[in-house]
């Protein structure tokens, strides 16, 4: 365990030349029924820094942040502000000490305007301002940190990324000096993440401190001045990072074992064509969703489709899976035509499919994990239940699915765990007939440990000769796994490159529609 600098300290510590400690938590303990959510946690934040709280789901990050902002009360421990012990009986008290948290689930009123939401709950002068002054005041705060928001917009009309900005503007408007951002990137697309990082930088430049909460190693390594890692409620390490923490070391502290997320490519020569897409067009409600799509995926090959969400990749997957019929063009799986034959025929031809919409299309919410695992097998469910029970238990264990056993209802699973059940079913080899695996964002929302498992299973499937189509917004994932990368933009394939030599810049530019000419 890496030790923190302030162990045994009774008050503020002033290492000569170091920035002042703005907020310090010492020996924080928090219990929930049956869970020790924070176990003797030490954490401090200096003025003008980004200090990340890193940990897997359930590690205790939100709990700690909730105590630092006054939402929860610790069972034991002390909190000091600028070296002075403080009490934080409520979020209002937190605000009075300049501490505000942007929660994972936003707390905005949909039918109010941005400006109204921002001043909601402020008991200062805002109520004396007329609407114009109010809008100007909110816009002024937003501009200072480069946060583009329209004060007059109705919050209900805003995207998730825009709502998050409103929450941040609100915290700043209320005078926050220390901002706790709870998994802010979880709801953002890559371009929005970049923008958020710029905003965070602008905030720290003016002396604000940011507690950044995340479980995504890549971004943590980039944005953090320091990282504190939590596992099962305990601090497993403090790492000084300055924007270049060692992701492998962070992963080890976070998961408790070595994690290998290195690039993996096909180690066997590729074989015959399994998936053949020829000139596929799809028009929905008069809009061209897919335009002249043609490509193949071979045995033992993984092809990645990169693209910003909403550029047709979801529909492309549904067309291959037989859930949508193309307006024109053909699709064949394993040499047999599957166009217009529906999802069951596609499965019979050897397709396994992990859709974007896990609970809508992938799992039956009202069924148990066990029955969901059996759903796509070509055997009789009633006969096989008992015999598959040990395998279901093993899969729950292997995929680290948090559930009370195989009879746990799918609808009671958290999003990440529902995803794991679906992946377990489609990747577990229960279907030996799988020739083609179509997976959409397979690791989104998963813990690092589970991400490693999923990547290994995909690699195993590839080595076993399955053809894999990986559709993901996670460019890092595509770049490190796919043998070939295709970029989809406005329904067309606009760029193609071998994964090995793919350039992040070129692929990123193609995703943004900045390619000259066409593929
Ligand atoms: N309000 C609560 N009531 C009961 N248990 C909770 C509550 N909040 C969190 N927990 C539990 O405390 C542990 C830590 O949760 P949390 O702080 O939300 O983790 P993280 O934010 O790192 O994902 C988990 O086991 C979680 O189930
Ligand atoms: Mg959390």
């Amino acid at each position: 365990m890496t030790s923190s600098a302030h162990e045994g300290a009774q008050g503020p510590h002033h290492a000569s030349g170091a920035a002042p400690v703005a907020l310090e938590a010492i020996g924080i303990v928090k219990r929930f029924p049956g869970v020790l959510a924070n176990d003797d946690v030490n954490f401090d934040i200096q003025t003008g820094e980004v200090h990340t709280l890193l940990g897997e789901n359930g590690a205790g990050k939100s709990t700690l942040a909730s105590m630092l902002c006054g939402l929860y009360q610790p069972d034991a421990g002390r909190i000091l502000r600028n070296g002075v012990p403080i009490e934080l009986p409520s979020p209002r008290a937190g605000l009075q000490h300049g501490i505000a948290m942007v929660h994972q689930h936003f707390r905005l009123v949909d039918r109010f305007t941005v400006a109204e939401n921002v001043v909601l709950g402020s008991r200062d002068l805002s109520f004396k301002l007329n609407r114009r002054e109010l809008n100007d005041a909110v816009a002024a705060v937003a501009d200072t940190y480069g946060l583009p928001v329209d004060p007059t917009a109705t919050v209900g009309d805003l995207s998730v990324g825009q709502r998050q900005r409103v929450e941040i503007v609100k915290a700043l408007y209320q005078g926050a000096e220390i901002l706790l951002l709870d998994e802010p990137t979880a709801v953002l697309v890559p371009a929005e993440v970049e923008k958020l990082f710029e905003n965070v930088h602008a905030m720290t430049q003016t002396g604000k401190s940011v507690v950044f909460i995340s479980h995504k190693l890549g971004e943590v390594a980039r944005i953090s001045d320091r990282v504190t890692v939590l596992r099962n409620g305990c601090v497993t390490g403090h790492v000084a990072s300055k924007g270049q923490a060692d992701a492998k070391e962070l992963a080890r502290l976070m998961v408790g074992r070595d994690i290998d997320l290195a690039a993996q490519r096909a180690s066997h020569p590729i074989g015959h064509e399994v998936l053949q897409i020829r000139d596929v067009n799809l028009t929905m409600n008069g809009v061209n969703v897919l335009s002249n799509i043609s490509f193949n995926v071979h045995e033992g090959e993984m092809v990645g489709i990169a693209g910003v969400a909403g550029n047709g990749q979801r529909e492309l997957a549904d067309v291959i899976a037989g859930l949508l019929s193309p307006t024109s063009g053909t699709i064949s799986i394993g040499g047999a035509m599957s166009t217009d034959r529906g999802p069951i025929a596609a499965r019979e031809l050897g397709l396994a499919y992990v859709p974007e919409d896990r609970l809508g299309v992938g799992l039956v919410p009202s069924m148990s994990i066990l029955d969901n695992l059996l759903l796509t097998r070509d055997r009789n469910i009633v006969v096989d239940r008992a015999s598959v029970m040990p395998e279901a238990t093993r899969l729950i264990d292997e995929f680290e699915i948090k559930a009370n056993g195989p009879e746990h209802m799918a609808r009671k699973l958290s999003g990440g765990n529902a995803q794991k059940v679906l992946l377990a079913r489609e990747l577990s080899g229960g279907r030996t007939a799988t020739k083609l695996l179509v997976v959409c964002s397979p690791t989104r929302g998963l813990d690092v440990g589970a991400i490693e498992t999923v990547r290994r299973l995909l690699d195993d499937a590839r080595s076993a000769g399955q053809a894999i189509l990986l559709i993901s917004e996670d460019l890092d994932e595509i770049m490190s796994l796919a043998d070939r990368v295709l970029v989809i933009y406005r329904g067309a394939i606009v760029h193609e490159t071998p994964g090995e030599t793919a350039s992040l810049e070129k692929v990123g530019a193609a995703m943004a529609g900045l390619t000259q000419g066409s593929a």
Side-chain angles (χ1 to χ4, degrees), residues 238-416:
H238 298 284
V239 178
S241 139
K242 292 289 173 214
Q244 46 194 338
D246 175 2
K248 222 175 155 73
E249 163 75 357
L250 292 176
R252 196 180 55 72
L253 291 168
M254 179 159 113
V255 184
R257 61 182 167 84
D258 280 322
I259 288 285
D260 183 7
L261 295 176
Q264 293 161 333
R265 315 266 176 219
S267 49
H268 304 276
I270 59 173
H272 299 294
E273 286 173 6
V274 176
L275 175 68
Q276 238 185 34
I277 302 186
R278 286 285 163 273
D279 300 322
V280 162
N281 287 278
L282 177 68
T283 307
M284 293 169 88
N285 304 320
V287 178
N288 281 339
V289 181
L290 297 174
S291 303
N292 287 320
I293 303 249
S294 296
F295 66 91
N296 304 325
V297 187
H298 302 79
E299 285 169 357
E301 182 189 36
M302 190 185 307
V303 171
I305 305 259
V308 176
N311 277 283
Q313 53 272 69
R314 190 185 178 132
E315 290 79 6
L316 174 62
D318 281 350
V319 162
I320 296 168
L323 294 163
L324 285 175
S325 280
T327 312
S328 64
T330 59
I331 295 154
S332 71
I333 300 174
M337 201 58 76
S338 69
T339 329
D340 300 331
R341 290 177 54 197
I344 294 170
R347 279 209 170 262
E348 281 168 1
L349 292 174
L351 170 88
Y353 181 35
V354 178
E356 189 79 19
D357 178 10
R358 325 282 179 199
L359 274 176
V361 180
L363 297 179
V364 181
S366 60
M367 282 173 36
S368 68
I369 294 178
L370 181 68
D371 290 331
N372 269 291
L373 288 173
L374 286 169
L375 205 58
T376 55
R377 301 218 174 163
D378 315 322
R379 288 175 280 166
N380 184 317
I381 287 177
V382 182
V383 175
D384 267 18
R385 272 187 126 256
S387 69
V388 178
M389 192 66 93
E391 192 194 339
T393 308
R394 182 181 62 74
L395 289 173
I396 286 173
D397 190 51
E398 184 180 336
F399 280 80
E400 295 161 13
I401 297 165
K402 294 204 174 85
N404 313 316
E407 300 288 1
H408 194 103
M409 283 295 168
R411 87 177 115 78
K412 291 191 181 161
L413 292 167
S414 70

Side-chain angles (χ1 to χ4, degrees), residues 209-268:
S209 308
V210 173
V211 175
F212 179 78
I213 299 179
S214 177
H215 63 261
K216 297 183 188 168
L217 289 165
E219 63 186 33
V220 165
R222 260 182 64 206
I223 197 179
S224 317
D225 295 311
R226 285 190 295 157
V227 182
T228 289
V229 189
L230 283 175
R231 184 167 79 242
N232 293 331
C234 297
V235 172
T236 53
H238 298 284
V239 178
S241 139
K242 292 289 173 214
Q244 46 194 338
D246 175 2
K248 222 175 155 73
E249 163 75 357
L250 292 176
R252 196 180 55 72
L253 291 168
M254 179 159 113
V255 184
R257 61 182 167 84
D258 280 322
I259 288 285
D260 183 7
L261 295 176
Q264 293 161 333
R265 315 266 176 219
S267 49
H268 304 276

